[in-house]
Each structure stands twice: as structure tokens, then as C-alpha cells.
């Protein structure tokens, strides 16, 4: 029955019609059940199959009648695109089955499953020739560890197609300036010119904070069926094989390497993949909305990847207290992605520092 609910248009009439064909009867309780389902999931990300099963099992009317149900006709048609209301205007390519995704990426099913690696088999792969990424460990100026994950050629070509034909058709928040065509450091800084106080906040471990399930949920929100969304998310994320950390990196302590191993072991957005910057921008949409709302009454906010600027037109002491406390609550209390502020810098009109190499207090 969960398959019936997900197979086509998520409307009361559509669900009731499919259920009637499957059961072979027009039962009186089907339409009210469909109405409750639509009410429960309208406006939300397309539910997973297991979420629909949970909904049905929690419905008292369905539980009462389910033991008497018999399948008279199995539905064989693929699931349809079911984007949220805003996504319906994006003009994304309709990919409604795993076979259609294989054709779109020009791959055999076995190849697609190998690249997406939804079963996590690559995590234990020690042979670098069979890994999908090249790895390079760098040291940040703060002393923390940064891992560059550069996809190999075939995977990179797949990611570039996803970027060009899906992700770049989706609008990002106006406050985003990093990795956007027509935007630069100048457009990033200009909203903050001559503001009294500018707070710079750097988010720690920005890309690894976007985990695989969240990326898959984003593709379901765009309208793709669960099986297609999971594979698209798998192609765009990576779990770093444990053998990468067996090498000797003498500039890092064992504690830093253990923390990095734990952070990168889960599927996440790899820093170095063509799709990661745009997916990070799109998945951070809600926090960008809250940042803009935070600054709307007193200044402006912009973001370029992990760096956030929040400018305030008020006295220095009030601006420092209000801006820092509000931003801290915003990033720590919301569950959009797990992050902490790694660095906080302040630039003021009465002799503060420069940010991003520029002084926003000067035109």
C-alpha cells in the first residue's frame, strides 16, 4: 500500500484511484485515508517508503482493515516526479526510475551502484586504484586539519552533469555570494560598507557537516523518487576509507587524526567535488533566511561558503552583544546542520580590523 501511495500524484483523487485498482474494490475508508495522508505530508519533503509505512501502521482505520486486504493488481509503473510547490518551477529533468537515471548518466546499473556506494563498501577499500577520490591532507592556519577529496575523472564528469543540468537550475538565497556566477568578493563585501559593526564568523567543518541523508532528502524535495534521490545523493557524497588515515601525517596529533576519522567516516559533501559548493549553498537556504531576518532590522548579512558576515548599524557595545549572542543561538539551537563557530572577528568604524583583506568601513 505504501508503494501505491508513492507511485503517482500525491492527491486524494490520485491515491484513491490507485488504491482502488490495486485492491480491486472502491472501499469507503480509502478516500478518508488518502485525505489524511495528503494532510500529513503536503508541503514537506517527499517521504521515504518507510515513512509511509509508519504512517499507515499508525493509522487506526487502516490497521483495522489491513488484515482483510488482498492485492488484485500490482502497479508496475514507475514513481512520478513529486516536487514541492517551489521546485515545480525549476524545470529539472524528469528522472523517474533507476533505469532512467542510468540512461541519463550513460552508465550500466552496476556501474551506477558502484559509484553511488549506498552500501558503504568503499569505506573498507584500501587499494587507492579502486577508490573514487584522490585525498590530500592540509593544515589550516588555525592548526586544524583539512581534507581535500578530489573525485577521479569518471565520477567528476557525472558530478559536473548533475551540477549543470540539475543544481544550477535551482535558485540559491540572495545572500549567498560564494561559487555563484556574477558574484565576487566585491559583491560579498558591498552590503556592509560603512556599517557601524561587522561580525565575521567562520563555520568549522562546513562541508563535512552536510551528511548523506540530508543530500538525499534535498533531491527528494526537488521531486525525485526515493530510489533516484538516494543514488544521486550517493554520487555527490563520500565516506573516506579508513585506510586514508593509516598514512603518517607528522604535523597532526593522534587526537586530531581520530577526530578527522570520525568526522569523515560518514557520507558527506567532499571538499573538492564540483557539486559540493552548490549543494552546500542550497542546503543552507534556511539558515541564510534566518541570517537575513536577523540582520533585516539593523544591517545586512552575506555568506561565502563557511564565512558569514553580519553587519549592524548600531553602537559598538550593543552591536557586539546583540550580534554575537543572536548568531550563536542561531547556529547552536537549530538543527539545519551540526556546526560551531570556529572564529569570530570584529571590525568597527572606530578603528577595527580588516576582514577578508578589505575594510568594509571604507568605500
Amino acid at each position: 500500500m505504501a508503494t501505491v501511495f508513492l507511485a503517482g500524484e500525491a492527491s486524494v483523487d490520485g491515491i484513491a484511484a490507485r488504491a482502488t485498482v490495486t485492491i480491486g474494490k472502491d472501499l469507503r475508508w480509502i478516500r478518508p485515508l488518502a485525505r489524511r495522508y495528503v494532510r500529513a505530508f503536503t508541503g514537506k519533503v517527499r517521504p521515504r517508503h518507510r515513512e509511509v509505512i509508519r504512517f499507515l501502521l499508525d493509522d487506526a482505520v487502516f490497521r483495522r482493515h489491513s488484515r482483510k486486504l488482498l492485492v488484485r493488481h500490482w502497479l508496475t509503473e514507475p514513481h512520478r516526479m513529486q516536487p514541492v510547490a517551489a521546485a515545480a518551477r525549476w524545470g529539472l529533468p524528469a528522472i523517474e526510475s533507476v533505469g532512467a537515471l542510468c540512461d541519463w548518466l550513460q552508465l550500466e546499473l552496476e556501474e551506477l551502484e558502484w559509484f553511488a556506494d549506498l552500501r558503504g563498501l568503499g569505506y573498507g577499500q584500501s587499494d587507492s586504484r579502486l577508490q573514487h577520490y584522490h585525498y590530500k591532507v592540509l593544515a589550516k592556519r588555525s592548526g586544524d586539519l583539512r581534507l581535500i577529496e578530489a573525485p577521479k575523472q569518471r565520477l567528476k564528469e557525472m558530478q559536473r552533469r548533475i551540477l549543470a543540468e540539475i543544481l544550477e537550475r535551482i535558485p540559491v538565497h540572495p545572500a549567498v555570494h560564494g561559487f555563484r556566477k556574477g558574484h565576487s568578493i566585491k559583491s560579498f563585501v558591498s552590503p556592509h560598507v560603512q556599517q557601524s559593526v561587522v561580525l565575521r564568523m567562520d563555520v568549522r567543518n562546513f562541508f563535512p557537516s552536510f551528511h548523506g541523508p540530508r543530500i538525499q532528502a534535498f533531491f527528494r524535495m526537488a521531486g525525485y523518487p526515493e530510489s533516484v534521490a538516494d543514488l544521486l545523493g550517493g554520487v555527490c557524497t563520500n565516506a573516506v576509507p579508513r585506510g586514508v588515515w593509516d598514512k603518517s601525517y607528522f604535523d597532526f596529533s593522534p587526537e586530531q587524526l581520530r577526530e578527522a576519522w570520525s568526522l569523515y567516516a560518514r557520507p558527506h559533501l567532499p571538499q573538492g567535488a564540483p557539486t559540493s559548493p552548490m549543494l552546500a549553498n542550497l542546503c543552507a537556504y534556511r539558515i541564510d533566511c534566518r541570517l537575513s531576518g536577523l540582520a533585516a532590522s539593523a544591517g545586512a548579512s552575506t555568506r561565502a561558503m563557511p564565512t558569514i558576515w553580519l553587519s549592524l548599524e548600531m553602537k559598538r557595545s550593543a552591536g557586539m552583544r546583540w550580534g554575537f549572542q543572536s548568531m550563536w543561538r542561531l547556529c547552536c539551537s537549530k538543527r539545519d546542520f551540526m556546526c560551531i563557530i570556529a572564529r569570530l572577528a570584529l571590525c568597527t568604524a572606530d578603528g577595527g580590523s580588516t576582514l577578508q583583506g578589505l575594510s568594509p568601513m571604507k568605500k
Side-chain angles (χ1 to χ4, degrees), residues 52-78:
V52 180
I53 293 176
R54 188 179 304 118
F55 165 82
L56 293 172
L57 293 178
D58 289 341
D59 190 272
V61 176
F62 177 80
R63 288 202 309 271
R64 186 163 65 248
H65 295 282
S66 60
R67 296 179 181 179
K68 303 176 183 178
L69 293 180
L70 294 175
V71 175
R72 304 294 184 184
H73 177 75
W74 290 100
L75 293 179
T76 58
E77 62 184 60

Side-chain angles (χ1 to χ4, degrees), residues 9-257:
E9 182 183 1
S11 66
V12 175
D13 292 338
I15 293 171
R18 293 193 299 274
T20 299
V21 171
T22 301
I23 298 171
K25 298 178 182 179
D26 186 8
L27 301 175
R28 289 183 300 173
W29 54 269
I30 289 293
R31 184 169 290 274
L33 175 65
R35 193 175 296 115
R36 291 192 293 274
Y37 171 85
V38 171
R39 186 165 55 246
F41 291 103
T42 295
K44 299 180 180 179
V45 174
R46 181 177 185 153
R48 286 188 176 275
H49 189 267
R50 62 173 177 263
E51 293 172 335
V52 180
I53 293 176
R54 188 179 304 118
F55 165 82
L56 293 172
L57 293 178
D58 289 341
D59 190 272
V61 176
F62 177 80
R63 288 202 309 271
R64 186 163 65 248
H65 295 282
S66 60
R67 296 179 181 179
K68 303 176 183 178
L69 293 180
L70 294 175
V71 175
R72 304 294 184 184
H73 177 75
W74 290 100
L75 293 179
T76 58
E77 62 184 60
H79 291 186
R80 301 301 180 189
M81 295 283 288
Q82 295 180 19
V84 297
R89 302 189 299 269
W90 295 343
L92 304 182
I95 307 172
E96 299 180 329
S97 68
V98 173
L101 180 60
C102 291
D103 294 339
W104 189 71
L105 292 173
Q106 300 180 354
L107 295 172
E108 297 295 332
L109 176 59
E110 293 77 10
E111 294 178 300
L112 178 57
E113 291 176 338
W114 183 58
F115 281 114
D117 194 22
L118 298 181
R119 298 171 62 186
L121 300 179
Y123 177 72
Q125 182 56 254
S126 58
D127 189 344
S128 61
R129 294 173 298 178
L130 299 178
Q131 296 172 357
H132 298 311
Y133 289 82
H134 299 290
Y135 299 97
K136 185 175 183 180
V137 179
L138 302 175
K140 301 179 183 179
R141 286 184 296 179
S142 62
D144 290 338
L145 181 152
R146 171 182 286 133
L147 179 66
I148 302 299
E149 304 164 71
K152 295 181 180 179
Q153 188 60 35
R154 288 194 69 192
L155 180 59
K156 184 185 293 185
E157 292 172 358
M158 296 164 57
Q159 292 173 342
R160 283 175 173 168
R161 182 164 191 188
I162 294 171
L163 173 64
E165 299 189 27
I166 296 179
L167 301 180
E168 288 186 344
R169 297 185 182 185
I170 304 174
V172 299
H173 194 279
V176 174
H177 294 261
F179 292 91
R180 286 187 65 190
K181 294 179 180 178
H183 292 72
S184 64
I185 185 64
K186 182 178 180 180
S187 67
F188 174 64
V189 172
S190 59
H192 308 282
V193 171
Q194 296 186 325
Q195 295 279 41
S196 299
V197 176
V198 179
L199 291 164
R200 169 183 169 174
M201 303 179 186
D202 291 330
V203 179
R204 185 182 183 189
N205 299 323
F206 184 72
F207 285 105
S209 296
F210 294 93
H211 297 144
R214 183 168 184 186
I215 304 304
Q216 293 169 343
F218 171 79
F219 283 111
R220 294 202 313 276
M221 180 274 298
Y224 293 104
E226 179 180 350
S227 57
V228 175
D230 285 354
L231 289 168
L232 285 170
V235 169
C236 296
T237 57
N238 179 46
V240 177
R242 57 176 175 264
V244 170
W245 308 108
D246 293 340
K247 302 175 183 179
S248 299
Y249 297 107
F250 299 107
D251 294 336
F252 300 100
S253 66
E255 291 76 16
Q256 286 178 301
L257 291 176

Side-chain angles (χ1 to χ4, degrees), residues 273-288:
T275 48
S276 291
M278 183 58 74
L279 278 169
N281 281 338
L282 293 168
C283 289
Y285 186 87
R286 287 194 295 178
I287 199 169
D288 289 326

